Amino acid sequence: MNAGGDYGGDEPREKCGVVGVSLEDREAARPLYYALYALQHRGQESAGIVTHDGFQQHSHVERGLVGDAFEEGDLASLSGGTGIGHVRYPTAGSLDKSCAQPFSVSFKSGSLGLSHNGNLVNADEVREELAAAGHAFTSDGDTEVIAHDLARNLLEEDLVRAVKHTMNRIHGSYSLAITHDDTVLGVRDPLGNRPLCLGKIDGGYVIASESAAIDTLDGELIRDVRPGELVVLDPDGTGYDTYQLVERESTAHCFFEHVYFARPDSVIDESLVYEVRRKLGRKLWEESGVESDVVMPVPDSGRAFASGYADAAGETTADGEPRAADDGGVEFAEGLMKNRYVGRTFIMPTQDERERAVRLKLNPIRSTVEGKSVTIIDDSIVRGTTSTQLVELVREAGAEEVHLRIGAPPILAPCYFGIDMATREELIAADASTEEIRQEVGADSLSYLSIDAVADALGESRADLCLGCVTGEYPFDVEGEATDRDVDAPVSDPTPADD
């Protein structure tokens, strides 16, 4: 996990990561394996690879981290130059292995493998429709729903038409890596809610959730897959074709990818995540800077924010006036050290032990904070438990003042599109003001970044972002929730439609 706040279950959890490769003259399994390592931060529940050797499909899917899910013999058994991979943190479906991915199915028109990052909001409706038509399901996840719908369409249509009609039936967020026999496909939902990119590697091409996976394979990022676009990699690894299957007037890019989930070295929707976070940090200073002695990040995700905040503080005062030449501004310092060997599997059976998890994972550097006014930079506050404990830690280490600055707006509503973010009842900002939260966490001051600042840092309009978790209004038609736009939701139709 790349965010700093995974201490005691008080931060959003990752979605999933997908990858697909098509190679000219070498096996796909090992490049897929390396790419999954690069995407490990997006999911630690399970990992899997599906390959095709031109004659048959091969699959290996296991619970656990990438390094635990595969042994040398597993990779050797995954023959073929094309394939897809997946790392999963469950946001829809059970925790058991039946929901681990890639999902594989064989049918009259060949074999399918499917990896999904995102979450459908009409999965139950489509599942009931398919079940009534005779489809048997082995899991309660929405990925199998997509696979069955696509398999049904492939019985009657060519590959491109079949994908288009599945896209016209499912509703929600998705980036998909698909194998149809030895052909690898990449599909991004019409609003571009989930990231997906295309790259060139030695002897072939790759699609992946993040460009960091392409970098790991010594490849070159070509571009983002466009919202509503299908990318078809040539089975021999020599090229690719693209089809713009669905078009919308606006997008709904997930702003939280830049704030929290994605690796800082990834380029998503044409923006380097690290630079976006530095811009967000600069805007934090512009909007709510405080003249403290030290600014320090919560490792690791707060680091780029704090760097940008400190840079901006060196240029202007908190009042926005130019900084005097002999005034260095607010010092950037590492004041919290992270124990990287305490992971999700740490046993915390009681509330007291869960609270102790913060002390196991983070330890303050006393010389950085003792006798000083300190500003802590974090990416988000979810339940508030972690922030309370961090403020206590720093005070106990001798800080005279503790200010808290957050590189995102208040999270006041759940995410329905692939982020395990907690319910409204658990979200501290759902029914509490910033001042009430400040009192709850015990900080001397607390400020969040504004929504407009986030949009400005991303270089996008608010209308092209998914802001549901910070506004309570969503870009997809979620039952019982408000929308922020006219939503073009699909209607039930058990048979493929004409173009």
Side-chain angles (χ1 to χ4, degrees):
M1 185 170 195
N2 67 308
D6 181 30
Y7 311 115
D10 191 36
E11 286 281 336
R13 292 184 175 127
E14 300 88 328
K15 301 175 287 289
C16 297
V18 305
V19 62
V21 301
S22 185
L23 300 173
E24 190 172 357
D25 56 3
R26 58 190 174 114
E27 300 287 273
R30 197 165 294 275
L32 288 167
Y33 176 71
Y34 294 147
L36 291 182
Y37 256 114
L39 299 174
Q40 183 74 87
H41 60 287
R42 300 187 68 88
Q44 296 89 46
E45 172 65 27
S46 65
I49 291 174
V50 165
T51 62
H52 200 284
D53 61 12
F55 300 97
Q56 62 179 322
Q57 182 169 274
H58 308 275
S59 175
H60 181 82
V61 180
E62 285 291 342
R63 293 280 300 272
L65 301 174
V66 175
D68 298 324
F70 294 94
E71 297 180 356
E72 184 65 35
D74 301 322
L75 295 177
S77 69
L78 294 167
S79 61
T82 62
I84 59 174
H86 189 267
V87 287
R88 179 176 189 261
Y89 186 87
T91 55
S94 305
L95 288 169
D96 62 29
K97 188 179 175 181
S98 68
C99 281
Q101 297 180 35
F103 181 82
S104 301
V105 61
S106 295
F107 61 109
K108 291 180 181 178
S109 294
S111 57
L112 280 176
L114 197 145
S115 296
H116 176 205
N117 169 210
N119 205 32
L120 302 186
V121 296
N122 70 337
D124 290 343
E125 175 188 336
V126 179
R127 183 186 289 106
E128 291 173 4
E129 174 188 298
L130 290 166
H135 291 254
F137 289 85
T138 61
S139 72
D140 59 358
D142 52 1
T143 303
E144 187 176 5
V145 172
I146 301 172
H148 276 269
D149 191 79
L150 181 57
R152 176 185 64 176
N153 293 334
L154 282 166
L155 292 174
E156 303 182 29
E157 302 177 300
D158 62 49
L159 185 59
V160 175
R161 287 174 180 265
V163 171
K164 180 175 182 178
H165 291 141
T166 291
M167 292 176 73
N168 286 336
R169 182 66 192 100
I170 60 179
H171 184 51
S173 65
Y174 54 89
S175 282
L176 306 173
I178 305 170
T179 55
H180 178 230
D181 293 334
D182 59 353
T183 299
V184 173
L185 321 173
V187 183
R188 194 174 183 191
D189 72 67
L191 295 182
N193 187 251
R194 300 271 67 84
L196 192 66
C197 59
L198 170 69
K200 176 76 173 70
I201 58 177
D202 182 30
Y205 290 85
V206 56
I207 54 170
S209 291
E210 295 185 33
S211 63
I214 300 172
D215 296 336
T216 298
L217 301 179
D218 293 326
E220 178 183 352
L221 173 65
I222 296 174
R223 61 173 175 84
D224 295 294
V225 176
R226 300 182 184 96
E229 185 180 28
L230 163 67
V231 176
V232 182
L233 305 185
D234 293 344
D236 60 5
T238 58
Y240 62 91
D241 294 308
T242 70
Y243 306 85
Q244 189 65 46
L245 298 184
V246 184
E247 295 197 56
R248 296 284 186 267
E249 291 184 1
S250 61
T251 61
H253 296 151
C254 174
F255 84 94
F256 228 64
E257 287 283 352
H258 294 276
V259 168
Y260 180 86
F261 284 113
R263 280 177 44 159
D265 52 335
S266 284
V267 175
I268 290 182
D269 296 319
E270 301 182 358
S271 295
L272 179 63
V273 173
Y274 177 78
E275 289 301 332
V276 170
R277 290 179 185 167
R278 279 183 45 85
K279 289 179 183 178
L280 293 170
R282 293 185 67 88
K283 289 186 176 296
L284 259 181
W285 174 258
E286 293 169 9
E287 290 190 340
S288 60
V290 57
E291 297 285 357
S292 60
D293 297 316
V294 174
V295 56
M296 62 187 202
V298 177
D300 292 313
S301 65
R303 190 164 286 118
F305 294 91
S307 171
Y309 182 97
D311 279 358
E315 298 168 5
T316 65
T317 68
D319 295 327
E321 298 298 322
R323 183 77 67 178
D326 59 351
D327 183 354
V330 181
E331 177 191 2
F332 173 90
E334 298 284 355
L336 293 165
M337 286 296 104
K338 183 177 181 180
N339 180 353
R340 303 181 185 280
Y341 297 95
V342 180
R344 291 192 189 282
T345 56
F346 176 69
I347 299 171
M348 299 176 288
T350 68
Q351 180 61 30
D352 177 67
E353 288 175 304
R354 283 192 290 272
E355 292 177 0
R356 186 170 297 278
V358 171
R359 297 178 181 272
L360 282 165
K361 293 191 177 186
L362 288 177
N363 193 39
I365 299 175
R366 187 171 294 272
S367 61
T368 298
V369 304
E370 191 169 20
K372 297 178 181 178
S373 60
V374 175
T375 300
I376 301 173
I377 307 286
D378 206 353
D379 52 71
S380 59
I381 299 178
V382 181
R383 295 170 178 86
T385 306
T386 295
S387 299
T388 301
Q389 295 162 3
L390 288 174
V391 172
E392 289 177 356
L393 273 179
V394 176
R395 285 202 192 281
E396 290 172 5
E400 292 186 353
E401 296 178 6
V402 181
H403 304 275
L404 193 57
R405 294 294 180 268
I406 306 300
I411 298 172
L412 48 82
C415 176
Y416 296 96
F417 314 127
I419 305 175
D420 182 11
M421 193 173 275
T423 64
R424 274 189 174 84
E425 291 73 25
E426 296 172 302
L427 294 168
I428 192 171
D431 58 3
S433 67
T434 299
E435 173 57 21
E436 289 170 333
I437 297 171
R438 182 199 68 77
Q439 293 178 19
E440 177 72 21
V441 302
D444 289 285
S445 73
L446 166 65
S447 289
Y448 294 87
L449 197 60
S450 71
I451 295 175
D452 286 340
V454 171
D456 188 52
L458 287 170
E460 300 201 50
S461 71
R462 289 179 57 159
D464 285 325
L465 295 173
C466 178
L467 298 164
C469 62
V470 297
T471 64
E473 297 181 343
Y474 299 91
F476 300 100
D477 191 10
V478 180
E479 184 177 357
E481 299 287 3
T483 59
D484 62 6
R485 65 194 70 195
D486 293 330
V487 176
D488 189 7
V491 296
S492 179
D493 181 4
T495 60
D498 293 332
D499 288 328

